[in-house]
Amino acid sequence: MSDEKKLTLSGRGTLGVNKGVETGQVRQSFSHGRSKSVVVERKKKRVLHKGGAMESPANPDAPSVTRKTPKSYVPKKPAGEGVQNLTNTEQETRMRVLEEAKRRAEEEAKEKAAREAREAKEAAERKIREAAEAAARDDEEEARIRAETDMKAKREAENKKKSEADAAKKVEEDLKVREKAEAEARKKAELEARAVQLKKASEARQAATTDDSDDDRKPRSKRKKGAPGVPAGQEQRPSRGRGRGDDRRSGRLTISSALSGGDERQRSIAAFKRAQAKKRQAQDASANQPKQAREITIPEAITVQELANRMAEKATMLIKTLMGMGVMATINQTLDQDTAELVVTEMGHTPKRVSDADVEIGLVGEDDHEDDLAPRAPIVTVMGHVDHGKTSLLDALREANVVSGEAGGITQHIGAYQVSVGDNKITFLDTPGHAAFTQMRARGASATDIVILVVAADDGVMPQTIEAIHHAKAAGVPIIVAINKMDREGANPDRVRNELLQHEVVTETFSGDTQEVEVSAKTGDGLDKLKEAIALQAEILELKANGNRDAEGVVVEAKLDKGRGPVATVLVQRGTLRVGDIFVAGPEWGRVRALVNDKGEQVTEAGPSVPVEVLGLNGAPGAGDDFAVVDNESRAREVTSYRQDMQRKRRQAAAAAPKTLESIFSQMKENEGVQTFDVVIKGDVQGSVEAITQSLEKAGNDDIKCRVIHGAVGGITETDITLAQASGALVIGFNVRPNKQAREAAEAEGITIKYYSVIYDLIDEVKAAMAGQLGPEYKENVIGQAEIRDAFQAGKSGKAAGCFVVEGSIRNDLKARILRNDVIIYEGQIDNLRRFKDDVKEVRAGQECGLTFENYHDFKSGDVLEVYELEEIQRKL
C-alpha cells in the first residue's frame, strides 16, 4: 500500500485522503425527482525534486467520483509499519471532513424523510384519484347498461308493436289477396262459360246456315213443305240477323235449341251484366248503411265463430279486433266471458252476460195465487225405532200386509201409500227404523206435513225414536205420538209419556200441544182415533195446493227394474203430473210413459199429495232429488247437462284438491298401519245403497277401514267384477243378482259375491270379515317374576343366572324377558331350568333356581326376570 492515509466511512466504502488530495461536493439528479450528493476528489500533480518526491496537483479534468456517500466516519488505527502519526493540519482536515459528512448525512436523512412523505402523499392522492376514477367509470358503466336496457326494452316494444302491426297487415293483405283471387277465379269462370256459350252459339249458327244453303240447293220438289195453310215457297226461314223473322225474341241460339227445336229462353250476356251491376249496387248500399247495434248474449265460454254469428259480423273482422287488443285467436278458439264482452263493446254492440246456471231459472214456477189453491190430502210420515210396529200400524190403516213382503220383517225402503178415510184421503210415507237409514228418515221428514212417531208401549223411547224426533223438529212439522203394542203385557204408556218429556215432546195428557193416541196394530184398537187425530191436525194446517199447473215434487225412491228400466217413486207436491209430460229429476230427465199408483194400477195423472211410480226416465235419479215438468226436450237436456257437468266438476275438484306437505304427511301418519277392506255394492234402490255405504264406512276402527270403491243401483254386471278383480274387493249384492256374463267372470277370476236381503246381516258379516282380515288379537298374561341375584359360569353352555322366584312361578315352556331398570334388554325363551342339580319344569315363588337363556349371557345381578304367556282373542269390530 502507498503512503496514502485511508479513512473508513461506516457503511459507505473507503475514501482515500492524503496531503495531495482536494475534495469537493457534487449533487447528482436522477429521474422521478430524486437527487444525491457525492464527494469529488482531485489529486495534485506530483513533482519530483532531487531531495525527494513532491505531489503535483491532480488533473482537474479527471475527477474521481465515489458513488456511495459516507454517513459517519470511523477512523482506523494505523496498521503496519509504514504508518506515520497525523499532523494537526491533517487532524483538522479530518475533523472538517467528518463534520461535513455528518452534515451531509443529516441533510440526506431530512431529504429522504421529506421525499418519503411526499411520495406517500402522492400515493394516497393517486389512490384517491384512482378510486374516484373507478367510481366514475362504474357510474358511467351503470348508466350505459341502464341506457342499453331501456333502449333494448324500447326496441323490443317497438318490434312487438311492429310485428303485431305486420301480422294485422299481413292478415289484411291475405284477405285482400284471397278476395282478389276469388274475384279473378269467378271472372275467369264467367269468361270460360261465356266462351263456351259463344262457341256453342257459333256452331249452332253455322249448322243452321248449312241447313239453309243445302235446302236452297235442293230441287223445289225435294224442299221441305211449309206449314199447313202456307203457300209453297213462302215457308218461314230461321232469322240470321237482328230484327229478322218472328223468333227475334227467342234469346240466344244454342245447340240444344237448334237440334231439338225447343223454345227455351236462356240468359243473355246483357242480363248477366245487369244482374252483376245490381248486386254491386246492393253491396254498396249495404256498406253505406249505418251498422245495426244488437244485444249479444254472452255465455261463460263461446267460440270466435259463434260470437261473430251472433253479432252478424265477419269472423275476420272479429279476429282483427282481437289482434288489436293483443289477443291472437283462431276462428275455432274459445273466448272467456270478459274477453268476449270487450270485443262486443269494441264492435259497437251491447253485451249481455249469462251464466250456465241460468238454465235453471224458471224451472220452479212462481208462487200460486190464493184463488187458485184447493185443499189437498196431508202427507204423513210414520217414523220410529226398529220393530216398534210402524209398518204393521200402516198395514192396519191400509188393510194390507206389507210386513210379510219385507226381508227380515223390517222395512228397508221408503214406502208411499194413499189411504181413504171417509171422504178424505191421507198419504202415508213409511220410513225404515234401522240405524243405517238415517238419511231416509231425514228425507221423509223434509217431504211431509205431519209425523206419526210410533213408540212401543213395552219398550219405550229408543235411539232411533230420539233421532226421528230431531228430524221432525228440524223439518218444523207437527208430531202425533202413536203408543203402539198396547195389547202386550207390560205395556206402560205413562212411561212413554215421561220419557218423551226428556226430549221436549209434551203430550196433551201433560197439558202439551202434541197429540198422543194409544193404539194396537195387531188388534186394531185406537186406529179410528189416530185417523181423527190426523184429520184434525190436517185441518189446523189448512193444506192447499194448485193442481192446474205443471207438476213439481220430490223423488222419494229410485231403482232399476229389469223389465221396466229406471223407475222413480215420486210424490207430487203441487200441479198435476200426466202421461206424456217431459220432466227433470236431478241429473236425469225423461218423458212419462206410465204412472203406477200404490195399488199397482196404471193411472193417467197424479195430482197434489199423490205418490206414484214414474216410468220413462233415462237413468235412476238420486233419492231426495226434486223433479219438475219442463216445456220441451231441449230445455230438459240443457238442465240435465248443466247438472251433470256440475257433479263432474265437484268430483274432479274433490279428487284434485290442493294438498300441502303438512296435510300429506299428516294423512300418511294417520293411515300408517291402517288396513283397508274394499267392497263393491250394488243395490235395488238408491236409498239402500246410501244406507249401506254410510254404515260400512263407519264400521271400521283405528286398525282397519272399510272403503266402498263403487256403489250403484242395478244388477251386478261384468264391469263390477272387473273392478273388484283389479282392486281385490268383495262384491255385495243387496236384493240383486248378477247376470250370466258377470257370474262366469266371477267364477273365472275367483271373485267372491255375497248376496243379502237384510241390511243388518250384511253389516254384521262385513264386520266379521274385516275382523278376520285383521287376524286374532293376543293378550299377554304374566305368570311369574324372579330376581337374578348372581351370574356364574356353567361349563361350555356359557353363563347361568341364579334366581329367586318372587311372584308366581317360573316355567321353562313360557316366553321370558329380562328387565334392567324397567327397560327390556332381552326377550326370548328359557333354555334350561334347574333346581339344585336337577332339571325341573317349574319353580314356584319363594324358591331358588338356576337357568340359562337361548343365545343370551349378558345379564347381571339385580336384573328382573318375567315369564308370560300369550292368549289368543278373536277380534270384534
Side-chain angles (χ1 to χ4, degrees):
M1 184 179 288
S2 65
D3 56 350
E4 294 176 352
K5 305 289 191 300
K6 289 188 176 180
L7 294 177
T8 301
L9 300 178
S10 61
R12 293 288 183 174
T14 59
L15 179 64
V17 179
N18 57 24
K19 298 178 181 180
V21 177
E22 292 182 359
T23 61
Q25 188 174 3
V26 178
R27 180 174 295 277
Q28 290 182 331
S29 297
F30 301 92
S31 61
H32 303 290
R34 293 185 295 110
S35 62
K36 185 177 182 182
S37 298
V38 297
V39 177
V40 181
E41 295 180 351
R42 187 165 62 91
K43 293 184 179 181
K44 296 179 181 180
K45 195 173 183 181
R46 180 177 294 178
V47 181
L48 297 177
H49 298 282
K50 294 180 179 180
M54 181 178 178
E55 295 180 353
S56 61
N59 188 8
D61 298 332
S64 174
V65 180
T66 303
R67 295 286 183 181
K68 296 180 181 180
T69 305
K71 291 184 179 180
S72 60
Y73 292 95
V74 179
K76 282 186 176 182
K77 293 182 180 182
E81 296 180 353
V83 180
Q84 298 178 359
N85 295 329
L86 299 177
T87 60
N88 293 333
T89 304
E90 291 174 346
Q91 289 180 355
E92 289 175 0
T93 303
R94 177 182 174 188
M95 293 301 295
R96 189 170 58 253
V97 170
L98 291 173
E99 290 176 357
E100 185 68 16
K102 185 177 181 181
R103 183 178 57 78
R104 285 199 300 272
E106 291 175 354
E107 290 177 356
E108 288 176 359
K110 290 180 181 179
E111 289 176 358
K112 184 178 180 181
R115 185 170 62 253
E116 291 176 352
R118 187 169 58 255
E119 290 176 354
K121 184 177 179 181
E122 289 176 355
E125 291 176 354
R126 187 165 57 253
K127 288 182 179 179
I128 294 173
R129 187 167 57 256
E130 289 175 354
E133 290 175 355
R137 284 195 301 271
D138 293 340
D139 293 339
E140 291 176 358
E141 185 68 15
E142 185 178 357
R144 184 180 62 78
I145 292 173
R146 193 182 302 111
E148 289 179 356
T149 305
D150 295 340
M151 184 64 68
K152 185 177 180 181
K154 186 176 179 182
R155 195 180 302 114
E156 290 178 352
E158 291 176 354
N159 292 338
K160 183 178 179 182
K161 189 174 180 180
K162 186 177 179 181
S163 63
E164 292 176 352
D166 292 341
K169 187 176 179 182
K170 186 177 180 181
V171 170
E172 291 180 357
E173 291 176 355
D174 292 340
L175 293 174
K176 289 180 180 179
V177 169
R178 196 180 299 114
E179 291 175 355
K180 186 176 180 181
E182 292 175 354
E184 290 178 356
R186 287 196 301 271
K187 187 175 180 181
K188 186 177 179 180
E190 292 171 1
L191 290 175
E192 290 177 353
R194 178 59 181 158
V196 170
Q197 292 174 358
L198 290 174
K199 185 177 180 180
K200 290 180 179 180
S202 176
E203 291 175 354
R205 283 196 299 272
Q206 289 178 3
T209 306
T210 303
D211 292 340
D212 284 346
S213 61
D214 292 339
D215 203 22
D216 291 339
R217 285 193 295 268
K218 288 180 181 179
R220 185 176 297 273
S221 61
K222 295 184 179 180
R223 291 181 183 176
K224 295 180 180 179
K225 301 293 182 180
V230 179
Q234 298 184 8
E235 295 89 351
Q236 292 184 356
R237 295 182 180 178
S239 175
R240 298 183 183 177
R242 184 164 182 166
R244 295 175 60 188
D246 295 333
D247 55 351
R248 61 183 180 273
R249 295 185 178 275
S250 62
R252 292 180 296 166
L253 184 64
T254 63
I255 296 175
S256 59
S257 62
L259 295 178
S260 62
D263 294 334
E264 286 187 28
R265 181 180 180 85
Q266 301 223 357
R267 197 175 187 185
S268 64
I269 298 176
F272 180 76
K273 289 182 178 180
R274 286 195 300 271
Q276 292 293 327
K278 187 175 181 180
K279 185 177 180 181
R280 284 196 296 271
Q281 290 176 0
Q283 290 179 353
D284 294 340
S286 63
N288 295 329
Q289 286 180 355
K291 183 183 289 186
Q292 182 180 358
R294 295 178 173 85
E295 185 181 49
I296 309 302
T297 302
I298 305 174
E300 293 181 354
I302 187 172
T303 62
V304 174
Q305 181 66 63
E306 178 64 23
L307 186 59
N309 294 340
R310 293 190 182 189
M311 291 190 296
E313 301 279 358
K314 290 184 178 180
T316 54
M317 296 300 296
L318 189 59
I319 294 174
K320 183 178 178 182
T321 305
L322 286 170
M323 285 183 177
M325 297 168 58
V327 178
M328 308 299 290
T330 61
I331 196 170
N332 295 322
Q333 189 164 338
T334 302
L335 303 177
D336 59 87
Q337 205 168 29
D338 296 332
T339 306
E341 184 177 3
L342 290 175
V343 172
V344 170
T345 307
E346 183 71 20
M347 299 189 76
H349 300 284
T350 304
K352 179 183 178 183
R353 297 171 68 115
V354 295
S355 175
D356 291 343
D358 293 344
V359 297
E360 292 191 342
I361 296 177
L363 190 63
V364 178
E366 299 178 354
D367 294 338
D368 297 312
H369 195 269
E370 189 68 28
D371 298 336
D372 299 331
L373 300 179
R376 64 173 177 86
I379 302 172
V380 180
T381 301
V382 183
M383 304 176 73
H385 193 72
V386 63
D387 288 336
H388 276 203
K390 299 181 295 298
T391 307
S392 301
L393 181 62
L394 187 57
D395 287 347
L397 291 170
R398 296 178 60 230
E399 297 178 358
N401 188 8
V402 179
V403 175
S404 61
E406 289 285 355
I410 65 168
T411 302
Q412 299 177 118
H413 314 97
I414 288 184
Y417 315 100
Q418 197 165 46
V419 178
S420 297
V421 181
D423 296 335
N424 300 323
K425 291 186 177 181
I426 302 174
T427 300
F428 285 98
L429 298 181
D430 184 17
T431 62
H434 194 273
F437 297 97
T438 301
Q439 282 197 345
M440 284 194 183
R441 283 190 294 278
R443 206 153 46 231
S446 63
T448 190
D449 301 318
I450 303 169
V451 169
I452 294 181
L453 184 64
V454 179
V455 186
D458 60 342
D459 208 3
V461 176
M462 299 299 286
Q464 271 65 61
T465 311
I466 300 170
E467 189 179 314
I469 294 172
H470 293 162
H471 288 320
K473 288 185 176 181
V477 295
I479 298 174
I480 298 175
V481 179
I483 305 176
N484 195 18
K485 300 185 180 181
M486 289 298 297
D487 57 307
R488 286 194 177 185
E489 294 183 3
N492 188 358
D494 293 333
R495 172 194 169 194
V496 174
R497 296 185 180 96
N498 289 326
E499 290 178 351
L500 288 174
L501 285 174
Q502 301 175 11
H503 303 285
E504 300 178 359
V505 178
V506 185
T507 60
E508 290 181 342
T509 304
F510 294 157
S511 302
D513 55 357
T514 302
Q515 299 182 74
E516 89 272 16
V517 182
E518 298 178 2
V519 297
S520 173
K522 187 175 182 180
T523 61
D525 295 338
L527 294 182
D528 294 335
K529 292 183 179 179
L530 182 60
K531 293 177 182 178
E532 291 175 1
I534 294 171
L536 177 61
Q537 189 67 54
E539 186 178 350
I540 294 173
L541 294 175
E542 295 182 355
L543 302 172
K544 294 181 180 181
N546 180 13
N548 298 321
R549 57 171 297 162
D550 291 336
E552 296 174 12
V554 64
V555 177
V556 177
E557 192 57 272
K559 62 182 178 180
L560 281 173
D561 192 290
K562 187 174 182 180
R564 301 186 296 172
V567 178
T569 301
V570 301
L571 180 62
V572 181
Q573 293 177 325
R574 63 176 181 172
T576 302
L577 183 64
R578 298 177 177 85
V579 175
D581 286 345
I582 299 171
F583 72 104
V584 176
E588 306 295 340
W589 71 278
R591 184 186 295 272
V592 180
R593 290 194 288 110
L595 296 174
V596 182
N597 63 9
D598 59 320
K599 299 180 180 63
E601 302 168 349
Q602 286 201 9
V603 294
T604 58
E605 61 180 27
S609 302
V610 177
V612 288
E613 284 186 343
V614 181
L615 281 69
L617 281 162
N618 291 340
D625 290 341
D626 294 331
F627 83 90
V629 174
V630 294
D631 298 331
N632 48 50
E633 290 186 9
S634 61
R635 179 70 191 283
R637 286 194 181 94
E638 286 181 358
V639 175
T640 54
S641 175
Y642 166 71
R643 291 179 177 177
Q644 290 169 4
D645 288 342
M646 293 303 295
Q647 285 184 352
R648 184 167 56 252
K649 288 178 181 178
R650 281 195 292 267
R651 287 196 299 268
Q652 292 174 353
K659 293 184 175 66
T660 61
L661 285 176
E662 292 81 0
S663 64
I664 293 173
F665 287 138
S666 62
Q667 186 175 3
M668 289 173 62
K669 189 173 181 181
E670 289 175 0
N671 296 333
E672 185 178 1
V674 178
Q675 300 184 40
T676 58
F677 187 83
D678 297 336
V679 295
V680 174
I681 300 174
K682 297 301 287 288
D684 56 342
V685 295
Q686 189 74 31
S688 298
V689 175
E690 289 180 2
I692 294 169
T693 301
Q694 291 181 354
S695 300
L696 292 183
E697 287 178 349
K698 296 177 183 178
N701 55 16
D702 295 336
D703 297 325
I704 190 168
K705 301 286 185 184
C706 183
R707 183 176 61 177
V708 179
I709 60 177
H710 179 62
V713 176
I716 300 171
T717 63
E718 192 174 359
T719 306
D720 301 325
I721 302 300
T722 305
L723 179 60
Q725 191 269 336
S727 57
L730 171 69
V731 180
I732 295 176
F734 188 77
N735 289 330
V736 294
R737 288 294 182 271
N739 55 28
K740 182 180 178 182
Q741 294 84 358
R743 189 163 49 250
E744 292 175 353
E747 292 175 358
E749 299 293 340
I751 302 299
T752 304
I753 304 178
K754 292 285 188 178
Y755 308 104
Y756 300 95
S757 57
V758 180
I759 189 168
Y760 50 73
D761 292 342
L762 184 155
I763 296 171
D764 292 342
E765 291 196 18
V766 171
K767 285 183 178 181
M770 293 167 66
Q773 179 175 323
L774 280 177
E777 186 178 1
Y778 293 96
K779 180 181 179 183
E780 180 183 293
N781 296 324
V782 177
I783 303 301
Q785 193 173 30
E787 180 183 350
I788 298 176
R789 294 187 174 180
D790 194 8
F792 54 89
Q793 195 69 26
K796 295 181 180 179
S797 61
K799 293 174 66 176
C803 302
F804 179 79
V805 182
V806 178
E807 182 181 348
S809 62
I810 305 296
R811 289 172 21 204
N812 60 357
D813 60 340
L814 299 178
K815 291 184 176 295
R817 68 166 66 100
I818 299 176
L819 307 177
R820 183 178 297 164
N821 297 327
D822 295 331
V823 177
I824 299 173
I825 61 174
Y826 170 74
E827 196 163 3
Q829 193 76 29
I830 296 175
D831 188 18
N832 192 10
L833 177 62
R834 288 190 177 189
R835 177 163 171 73
F836 299 110
K837 293 184 179 182
D838 301 326
D839 291 337
V840 293
K841 293 184 178 180
E842 183 179 8
V843 180
R844 297 187 178 275
Q847 296 178 348
E848 294 182 348
C849 62
L851 47 83
T852 57
F853 302 97
E854 290 182 351
N855 303 323
Y856 188 74
H857 309 286
D858 194 19
F859 43 80
K860 297 179 182 179
S861 176
D863 292 346
V864 176
L865 171 67
E866 278 185 358
V867 293
Y868 61 94
E869 65 178 359
L870 297 177
E871 180 184 357
E872 183 176 315
I873 301 174
Q874 192 65 31
R875 285 182 184 262
K876 292 183 180 180
L877 298 179

